[in-house]
Each structure stands twice: as structure tokens, then as C-alpha cells.
Amino acid sequence: MKLVFATHNIHKLKEIQALLPQTIELLSLSDIGCNEEIAETAATIEGNALLKAQYVKKHYHYDVFADDTGLEVTALGGAPGVFSARYAGEQKSDTDNIALLLKNMEAQQDRTAHFKTVIALCMGDEVRTFEGIAQGHITKEPVGTNGFGYDPIFVPEGYSQTFAELSAAEKNRISHRAKAFGKLIEALGELSSIDYNQKNTNKNESIRDKRY
């Protein structure tokens, strides 16, 4: 079974491939010749994940999944949310995004926030979404050098360190992305098992038809 992960990031591809059943061959957008920019114009994180997955399914006819992630800050009404990557502008600068967020949080007492990842899967006639959330709070200044994005100013619930202070292994164990991918992998196992059993059923029925 071939399945497309709607990304050009080879490192993300390899990480997920290692978690999937061996019966599933994971392909990137580059592998299927999809080099165009898929517009992320939805008003929600879930909507953007669905847009990317459905675009690939419609134009390239592969089973596919796509992910989208955002940081939602309580005191800012859920911002930056769907605009997390370009919060400070189209340059998509992590440094600029962090600086603007901290500036907007200067007068706020409530610093609670959460990261949200949504994965959309289009497989056969099935369309499913899987959500992962990591609760936490925003610091008053960046701390740590690991990770990317808003990791230096986000402390996950139950920890005293930011995501950027944790090792990659520790972050991946508790992160929003890990939770969403865990649900996806469980569903893929179920769907691939159903597909395998269905093929065997059809094969057996074909054999019986030939006998009688």
C-alpha cells in the first residue's frame, strides 16, 4: 500500500515511516511530482489540513494525509492559531513571531496556551481527522535552543522547562504532534487490516465462484 504524506520534509517523512506498518510505503509530495504550493486558506487548523490532503487526493489520486499545527493563546482569543507560521508577516520568521507574541502578552496575567496539531487522512472513500493537543503556558522570555517555532516560549503542562529545553526524544513523547500521529497510526493499522481482510475475502469468493 502506498500512502502520501503531504510534505517535502524528508526528515518528517522518515520519522513517520519508521512508525508505520511495513505494509505501507510512505511517499512525499516530491515523490509524486507535486511541487506546487498548496494554498492554506482555511479559517481553522483542521481546515488547512483537510485542504492539503484533499488537494493531493483530487489531483494525484493517492491515499494521503496532511498535518497543520498552530499555537492558541487564551488571552489573545486563540491567536495566533491558524496564522502561527506567519504571525509577524509572510517572512515566517520564528524570531519575529516570538517577539510579536511576547509583546502582545506584556499586559496579560493569563498566560495559558496550547499547541494543536490536526492530521487529515483521505484513504479510499474515508476522510478522517485526528487531533493532538499539548497544554501549557507562555514564558516571559525565550529559553532554550532546541526545537523550532514557538518552542522557546512554551512550557508544557507538568514541566518547568520549555519545549526548546527538552531533548527531541522527550518533546516527541509528549507533544501535540506525537499525540495526533499516534491516533493516525492506530487508524492506519485498522484500515490496512480491513483492506487486507477484504482482499482475502474477495479472493476466496473468486475461488469459490470458479469451483461452482
Side-chain angles (χ1 to χ4, degrees):
M1 178 190 300
K2 292 185 177 181
L3 181 66
V4 174
F5 181 10
T7 182
H8 290 289
N9 189 319
I10 193 65
H11 300 293
K12 288 175 68 175
L13 194 78
K14 287 181 178 179
E15 286 180 6
I16 301 306
Q17 178 69 81
L19 300 174
L20 293 176
Q22 294 182 353
T23 52
I24 296 177
E25 178 187 356
L26 200 60
L27 304 174
S28 70
L29 291 177
S30 299
D31 290 330
I32 64 171
C34 178
N35 298 310
E36 58 266 38
E37 184 81 16
I38 302 175
E40 299 181 25
T41 55
T44 64
I45 293 169
E46 179 180 0
N48 275 338
L50 282 166
L51 274 178
K52 289 185 283 187
Q54 291 172 335
Y55 180 93
V56 173
K57 184 69 172 178
K58 177 180 178 180
H59 294 280
Y60 294 88
H61 313 294
Y62 280 93
D63 289 334
V64 57
F65 67 88
D67 69 322
D68 197 38
T69 295
L71 174 67
E72 300 182 335
V73 180
T74 305
L76 301 181
V82 72
F83 301 108
S84 292
R86 51 180 63 84
Y87 189 47
E90 290 300 322
Q91 71 272 22
K92 297 183 179 181
S93 165
D94 290 347
T95 301
D96 292 347
N97 289 337
I98 287 174
L100 179 59
L101 183 62
L102 290 180
K103 179 180 178 182
N104 291 340
M105 289 290 289
E106 285 178 354
Q108 303 298 333
Q109 295 299 314
D110 182 358
R111 304 188 73 86
T112 58
H114 63 262
F115 272 115
K116 179 193 289 186
T117 289
V118 177
I119 297 172
L121 172 69
C122 295
M123 190 168 182
D125 295 328
E126 295 266 356
V127 178
R128 299 188 186 184
T129 59
F130 311 93
E131 181 181 275
I133 290 179
Q135 300 285 355
H137 69 267
I138 303 299
T139 60
K140 293 189 176 181
E141 61 182 24
V143 184
T145 57
N146 297 330
F148 57 93
Y150 297 93
D151 286 356
I153 60 171
F154 182 82
V155 176
E157 193 171 67
Y159 286 74
S160 58
Q161 298 170 298
T162 66
F163 266 161
E165 293 180 282
L166 300 178
S167 68
E170 181 68 2
K171 178 190 170 186
N172 290 339
R173 187 178 68 82
I174 64 171
S175 77
H176 44 293
R177 188 172 285 106
K179 292 174 182 177
F181 272 107
K183 295 175 183 177
L184 168 70
I185 290 164
E186 183 178 349
L188 286 174
E190 295 172 359
L191 290 171
S192 60
S193 175
I194 291 171
D195 181 63
Y196 175 80
N197 291 333
Q198 185 62 46
K199 286 180 179 178
N200 278 349
T201 299
N202 292 342
K203 181 178 179 181
N204 291 335
E205 288 177 351
S206 177
I207 291 172
R208 285 197 296 270
D209 289 342
K210 289 179 181 179
R211 286 178 179 174
Y212 299 106

